[in-house]
Short mmCIF file of all heavy atoms in Angstrom, two decimals:
data_model
loop_
_atom_site.label_atom_id
_atom_site.label_comp_id
_atom_site.label_asym_id
_atom_site.label_seq_id
_atom_site.Cartn_x
_atom_site.Cartn_y
_atom_site.Cartn_z
N PHE A 10 0.89 -1.26 0.06
CA PHE A 10 -0.04 -0.04 0.05
C PHE A 10 0.80 1.30 0.00
O PHE A 10 0.58 2.20 -0.70
CB PHE A 10 -0.92 0.00 1.21
CG PHE A 10 -1.89 1.21 1.28
CD1 PHE A 10 -2.94 1.26 0.61
CD2 PHE A 10 -1.55 2.29 2.15
CE1 PHE A 10 -3.86 2.28 0.46
CE2 PHE A 10 -2.38 3.30 2.24
CZ PHE A 10 -3.61 3.34 1.30
N ALA A 11 1.93 1.25 0.89
CA ALA A 11 2.83 2.40 0.89
C ALA A 11 3.50 2.59 -0.52
O ALA A 11 3.76 3.67 -0.93
CB ALA A 11 3.98 2.12 1.96
N GLY A 12 3.87 1.54 -1.21
CA GLY A 12 4.44 1.54 -2.56
C GLY A 12 3.53 2.16 -3.57
O GLY A 12 3.90 3.00 -4.41
N GLN A 13 2.22 1.77 -3.42
CA GLN A 13 1.17 2.45 -4.30
C GLN A 13 0.99 3.92 -4.13
O GLN A 13 0.78 4.61 -4.91
CB GLN A 13 -0.12 1.57 -4.14
CG GLN A 13 -0.03 -0.01 -4.59
CD GLN A 13 -1.38 -0.63 -4.38
OE1 GLN A 13 -2.12 -0.20 -3.54
NE2 GLN A 13 -1.44 -1.70 -5.03
N ILE A 14 1.01 4.30 -2.72
CA ILE A 14 0.87 5.64 -2.39
C ILE A 14 1.99 6.41 -2.97
O ILE A 14 1.86 7.51 -3.58
CB ILE A 14 0.78 5.91 -1.00
CG1 ILE A 14 -0.47 5.35 -0.46
CG2 ILE A 14 0.97 7.33 -0.59
CD1 ILE A 14 -1.70 6.19 -0.85
N LEU A 15 3.22 5.98 -2.85
CA LEU A 15 4.39 6.61 -3.40
C LEU A 15 4.34 6.71 -5.00
O LEU A 15 4.67 7.73 -5.53
CB LEU A 15 5.68 5.75 -2.97
CG LEU A 15 7.05 6.28 -3.62
CD1 LEU A 15 7.27 7.65 -3.04
CD2 LEU A 15 8.19 5.38 -3.16
N ALA A 16 3.83 5.67 -5.56
CA ALA A 16 3.76 5.69 -7.10
C ALA A 16 2.79 6.71 -7.44
O ALA A 16 2.92 7.44 -8.46
CB ALA A 16 3.30 4.26 -7.56
N LEU A 17 1.60 6.84 -6.70
CA LEU A 17 0.59 7.76 -6.96
C LEU A 17 1.18 9.32 -6.95
O LEU A 17 0.98 10.19 -7.75
CB LEU A 17 -0.68 7.54 -6.12
CG LEU A 17 -1.69 8.68 -6.25
CD1 LEU A 17 -2.26 8.73 -7.71
CD2 LEU A 17 -2.79 8.45 -5.23
N GLN A 18 1.97 9.47 -5.89
CA GLN A 18 2.55 10.78 -5.73
C GLN A 18 3.58 11.10 -6.85
O GLN A 18 3.68 12.24 -7.23
CB GLN A 18 3.18 10.91 -4.28
CG GLN A 18 2.24 10.79 -3.15
CD GLN A 18 2.95 10.78 -1.78
OE1 GLN A 18 4.10 10.40 -1.72
NE2 GLN A 18 2.24 11.26 -0.79
N LEU A 19 4.27 10.14 -7.17
CA LEU A 19 5.24 10.31 -8.26
C LEU A 19 4.52 10.75 -9.56
O LEU A 19 4.96 11.53 -10.31
CB LEU A 19 6.23 9.14 -8.43
CG LEU A 19 7.33 8.92 -7.34
CD1 LEU A 19 7.91 7.59 -7.60
CD2 LEU A 19 8.21 10.06 -7.32
N LEU A 20 3.39 9.95 -9.80
CA LEU A 20 2.58 10.14 -11.01
C LEU A 20 2.00 11.55 -11.01
O LEU A 20 2.11 12.46 -11.98
CB LEU A 20 1.43 9.21 -11.06
CG LEU A 20 0.49 9.39 -12.24
CD1 LEU A 20 1.13 9.28 -13.56
CD2 LEU A 20 -0.63 8.38 -12.14
N GLN A 21 1.55 12.06 -9.74
CA GLN A 21 1.08 13.48 -9.73
C GLN A 21 2.15 14.39 -9.86
O GLN A 21 1.97 15.41 -10.46
CB GLN A 21 0.36 13.52 -8.33
CG GLN A 21 -0.93 12.75 -8.11
CD GLN A 21 -1.59 12.88 -6.93
OE1 GLN A 21 -0.94 13.10 -5.87
NE2 GLN A 21 -3.00 12.86 -6.82
N LEU A 22 3.36 14.16 -9.41
CA LEU A 22 4.50 15.04 -9.47
C LEU A 22 5.00 15.25 -11.00
O LEU A 22 5.17 16.38 -11.50
CB LEU A 22 5.55 14.67 -8.65
CG LEU A 22 6.79 15.58 -8.56
CD1 LEU A 22 6.46 16.85 -7.89
CD2 LEU A 22 8.01 14.85 -7.81
N VAL A 23 4.82 14.06 -11.65
CA VAL A 23 5.21 14.25 -13.03
C VAL A 23 4.11 14.86 -13.93
O VAL A 23 4.44 15.69 -14.84
CB VAL A 23 5.34 12.65 -13.68
CG1 VAL A 23 5.49 12.71 -15.14
CG2 VAL A 23 6.58 12.00 -13.08
N THR A 24 2.91 14.71 -13.53
CA THR A 24 1.80 15.41 -14.09
C THR A 24 1.94 16.95 -13.96
O THR A 24 1.73 17.80 -14.84
CB THR A 24 0.44 15.00 -13.54
OG1 THR A 24 0.30 13.59 -13.79
CG2 THR A 24 -0.72 15.67 -14.26
N GLN A 25 2.26 17.30 -12.73
CA GLN A 25 2.44 18.67 -12.35
C GLN A 25 3.67 19.29 -13.17
O GLN A 25 3.46 20.40 -13.73
CB GLN A 25 2.60 18.87 -10.89
CG GLN A 25 2.86 20.32 -10.55
CD GLN A 25 2.99 20.41 -8.98
OE1 GLN A 25 2.08 20.15 -8.32
NE2 GLN A 25 4.15 20.79 -8.52
N GLY A 26 4.72 18.56 -13.23
CA GLY A 26 5.88 19.16 -13.96
C GLY A 26 5.56 19.17 -15.39
O GLY A 26 5.96 20.15 -16.21
N THR A 27 4.81 18.22 -16.11
CA THR A 27 4.62 18.25 -17.43
C THR A 27 3.57 19.29 -17.74
O THR A 27 3.69 20.13 -18.65
CB THR A 27 3.82 16.90 -17.85
OG1 THR A 27 4.64 15.86 -17.59
CG2 THR A 27 3.51 16.89 -19.27
N TYR A 28 2.71 19.66 -16.82
CA TYR A 28 1.70 20.87 -17.00
C TYR A 28 2.54 22.05 -17.04
O TYR A 28 2.26 22.94 -18.09
CB TYR A 28 0.80 20.75 -15.70
CG TYR A 28 -0.20 21.92 -15.69
CD1 TYR A 28 -1.46 21.90 -16.27
CD2 TYR A 28 0.17 23.09 -15.01
CE1 TYR A 28 -2.40 23.02 -16.11
CE2 TYR A 28 -0.67 24.23 -14.85
CZ TYR A 28 -1.94 24.11 -15.41
OH TYR A 28 -2.81 25.11 -15.35
N TYR A 29 3.31 22.30 -16.10
CA TYR A 29 4.04 23.66 -16.12
C TYR A 29 5.08 23.82 -17.23
O TYR A 29 4.99 24.87 -17.90
CB TYR A 29 4.69 23.92 -14.72
CG TYR A 29 3.79 24.20 -13.58
CD1 TYR A 29 3.44 23.46 -12.62
CD2 TYR A 29 3.32 25.56 -13.47
CE1 TYR A 29 2.63 23.76 -11.55
CE2 TYR A 29 2.47 25.92 -12.54
CZ TYR A 29 2.02 25.02 -11.51
OH TYR A 29 1.23 25.53 -10.52
N SER A 30 5.83 22.78 -17.45
CA SER A 30 6.82 22.89 -18.46
C SER A 30 6.33 22.86 -19.84
O SER A 30 6.83 23.72 -20.63
CB SER A 30 7.78 21.54 -18.27
OG SER A 30 8.40 21.59 -16.95
N SER A 31 5.30 22.00 -20.20
CA SER A 31 4.81 22.02 -21.55
C SER A 31 4.12 23.37 -21.90
O SER A 31 4.36 23.87 -22.93
CB SER A 31 3.86 20.85 -21.64
OG SER A 31 4.51 19.63 -21.38
N PHE A 32 3.32 23.80 -21.00
CA PHE A 32 2.51 25.03 -21.30
C PHE A 32 3.49 26.13 -21.52
O PHE A 32 3.25 27.06 -22.39
CB PHE A 32 1.45 25.38 -20.29
CG PHE A 32 0.17 24.65 -20.52
CD1 PHE A 32 -0.18 23.58 -19.55
CD2 PHE A 32 -0.65 24.86 -21.62
CE1 PHE A 32 -1.55 22.94 -19.74
CE2 PHE A 32 -1.81 24.16 -21.74
CZ PHE A 32 -2.11 23.25 -20.83
N VAL A 33 4.49 26.26 -20.69
CA VAL A 33 5.48 27.33 -20.77
C VAL A 33 6.22 27.32 -22.12
O VAL A 33 6.43 28.18 -22.67
CB VAL A 33 6.41 27.40 -19.53
CG1 VAL A 33 7.54 28.34 -19.85
CG2 VAL A 33 5.62 27.85 -18.27
N TYR A 34 6.60 26.06 -22.33
CA TYR A 34 7.36 25.92 -23.71
C TYR A 34 6.63 26.17 -24.98
O TYR A 34 7.01 26.82 -25.84
CB TYR A 34 7.97 24.48 -23.68
CG TYR A 34 8.83 24.28 -24.98
CD1 TYR A 34 9.97 24.91 -25.22
CD2 TYR A 34 8.29 23.30 -25.87
CE1 TYR A 34 10.71 24.51 -26.39
CE2 TYR A 34 8.92 23.16 -27.05
CZ TYR A 34 10.10 23.77 -27.29
OH TYR A 34 10.76 23.46 -28.57
N TYR A 35 5.43 25.50 -25.03
CA TYR A 35 4.57 25.53 -26.17
C TYR A 35 3.76 26.80 -26.39
O TYR A 35 3.69 27.34 -27.44
CB TYR A 35 3.64 24.31 -26.34
CG TYR A 35 4.51 23.02 -26.59
CD1 TYR A 35 4.61 22.08 -25.70
CD2 TYR A 35 4.95 22.88 -27.78
CE1 TYR A 35 5.38 20.90 -25.83
CE2 TYR A 35 5.70 21.59 -28.10
CZ TYR A 35 5.76 20.67 -27.10
OH TYR A 35 6.51 19.52 -27.36
N LEU A 36 3.27 27.35 -25.25
CA LEU A 36 2.31 28.52 -25.36
C LEU A 36 2.99 29.77 -24.75
O LEU A 36 2.27 30.71 -24.81
CB LEU A 36 1.05 28.14 -24.75
CG LEU A 36 0.24 26.94 -25.35
CD1 LEU A 36 -1.04 26.70 -24.61
CD2 LEU A 36 -0.05 27.13 -26.86
N GLY A 37 4.11 29.69 -24.02
CA GLY A 37 4.73 30.73 -23.35
C GLY A 37 4.17 30.92 -22.01
O GLY A 37 4.63 31.96 -21.28
N GLY A 38 3.33 30.20 -21.50
CA GLY A 38 2.73 30.37 -20.13
C GLY A 38 1.72 29.29 -19.68
O GLY A 38 1.14 28.62 -20.63
N THR A 39 1.45 29.10 -18.43
CA THR A 39 0.43 28.23 -17.93
C THR A 39 -0.91 28.76 -18.25
O THR A 39 -1.08 29.96 -18.50
CB THR A 39 0.70 27.90 -16.50
OG1 THR A 39 0.61 29.20 -15.89
CG2 THR A 39 1.94 27.31 -16.18
N PRO A 40 -1.98 28.12 -18.20
CA PRO A 40 -3.25 28.56 -18.44
C PRO A 40 -3.70 29.74 -17.55
O PRO A 40 -4.23 30.61 -17.98
CB PRO A 40 -4.18 27.30 -18.12
CG PRO A 40 -3.34 26.14 -18.46
CD PRO A 40 -1.96 26.51 -18.06
N GLY A 41 -3.29 29.62 -16.28
CA GLY A 41 -3.47 30.74 -15.40
C GLY A 41 -2.79 31.96 -15.82
O GLY A 41 -3.44 33.09 -15.75
N LYS A 42 -1.60 31.97 -16.25
CA LYS A 42 -0.96 33.16 -16.72
C LYS A 42 -1.57 33.70 -18.09
O LYS A 42 -1.61 34.84 -18.18
CB LYS A 42 0.60 32.79 -17.03
CG LYS A 42 1.44 32.72 -15.53
CD LYS A 42 2.85 32.40 -15.89
CE LYS A 42 3.68 32.49 -14.62
NZ LYS A 42 3.21 31.46 -13.69
N LEU A 43 -1.88 32.65 -18.95
CA LEU A 43 -2.46 33.14 -20.19
C LEU A 43 -3.87 33.73 -19.96
O LEU A 43 -4.03 34.72 -20.69
CB LEU A 43 -2.47 31.93 -21.19
CG LEU A 43 -1.15 31.34 -21.57
CD1 LEU A 43 -1.38 30.07 -22.41
CD2 LEU A 43 -0.29 32.28 -22.32
N LEU A 44 -4.64 33.33 -18.97
CA LEU A 44 -5.84 33.84 -18.85
C LEU A 44 -5.80 35.32 -18.21
O LEU A 44 -6.62 36.10 -18.53
CB LEU A 44 -6.65 33.08 -17.81
CG LEU A 44 -7.23 31.75 -18.36
CD1 LEU A 44 -7.80 30.89 -17.23
CD2 LEU A 44 -8.18 32.05 -19.40
N LEU A 45 -4.66 35.61 -17.59
CA LEU A 45 -4.41 36.90 -17.00
C LEU A 45 -3.53 37.74 -17.93
O LEU A 45 -3.10 38.78 -17.60
CB LEU A 45 -3.93 36.83 -15.55
CG LEU A 45 -4.90 36.16 -14.63
CD1 LEU A 45 -4.29 36.11 -13.23
CD2 LEU A 45 -6.12 36.88 -14.60
N GLY A 46 -3.31 37.27 -19.13
CA GLY A 46 -2.53 38.11 -20.15
C GLY A 46 -1.02 38.23 -19.88
O GLY A 46 -0.43 39.16 -20.10
N CYS A 47 -0.45 36.98 -19.22
CA CYS A 47 0.97 37.05 -18.94
C CYS A 47 1.70 35.87 -19.71
O CYS A 47 1.03 34.92 -20.21
CB CYS A 47 1.17 36.81 -17.49
SG CYS A 47 0.33 38.04 -16.39
N ARG A 48 2.89 36.03 -19.88
CA ARG A 48 3.76 34.91 -20.52
C ARG A 48 5.18 34.94 -19.78
O ARG A 48 5.60 35.98 -19.25
CB ARG A 48 3.83 34.93 -21.95
CG ARG A 48 4.30 36.30 -22.50
CD ARG A 48 4.09 36.33 -23.97
NE ARG A 48 4.46 37.60 -24.57
CZ ARG A 48 5.58 37.77 -25.07
NH1 ARG A 48 6.55 36.77 -25.16
NH2 ARG A 48 5.93 38.97 -25.68
N VAL A 49 5.86 33.80 -19.83
CA VAL A 49 7.13 33.67 -19.25
C VAL A 49 8.23 33.74 -20.49
O VAL A 49 8.11 33.10 -21.55
CB VAL A 49 7.29 32.39 -18.64
CG1 VAL A 49 8.73 32.08 -17.94
CG2 VAL A 49 6.28 32.12 -17.62
N VAL A 50 9.21 34.65 -20.18
CA VAL A 50 10.24 34.79 -21.11
C VAL A 50 11.72 34.90 -20.50
O VAL A 50 11.67 34.97 -19.24
CB VAL A 50 10.06 36.16 -21.99
CG1 VAL A 50 8.75 36.23 -22.81
CG2 VAL A 50 10.06 37.36 -20.99
N THR A 51 12.65 34.95 -21.36
CA THR A 51 14.03 35.13 -20.86
C THR A 51 14.30 36.72 -20.50
O THR A 51 13.30 37.51 -20.79
CB THR A 51 15.01 34.73 -21.91
OG1 THR A 51 14.98 35.56 -22.99
CG2 THR A 51 14.85 33.25 -22.29
N ALA A 52 15.26 36.96 -19.97
CA ALA A 52 15.73 38.48 -19.63
C ALA A 52 15.71 39.26 -20.90
O ALA A 52 15.31 40.44 -20.78
CB ALA A 52 16.98 38.48 -18.96
#
C-alpha cells in the first residue's frame, strides 16, 4: 500500500511538472498566466 501511495505521488508530481513545463514551452505560459495576459520569457 505504501508503494502504491508513493507511485501515485510520483505520478502526480510528473503530471504537475509536465503541466508547467509544456505550457510554458509551447504556449509561453500556463493557463493561469495566459488567462491573465501574462507569459514567461528570458531576460
Side-chain angles (χ1 to χ4, degrees):
F10 182 78
Q13 291 174 342
I14 290 294
L15 179 60
L17 176 60
Q18 291 178 336
L19 289 175
L20 177 60
Q21 291 178 329
L22 187 63
V23 170
T24 301
Q25 180 175 297
T27 303
Y28 174 91
Y29 282 106
S30 302
S31 299
F32 276 114
V33 168
Y34 175 69
Y35 289 108
L36 300 180
T39 58
K42 286 183 173 62
L43 296 176
L44 284 172
L45 297 183
C47 305
R48 55 192 176 94
V49 183
V50 297
T51 65

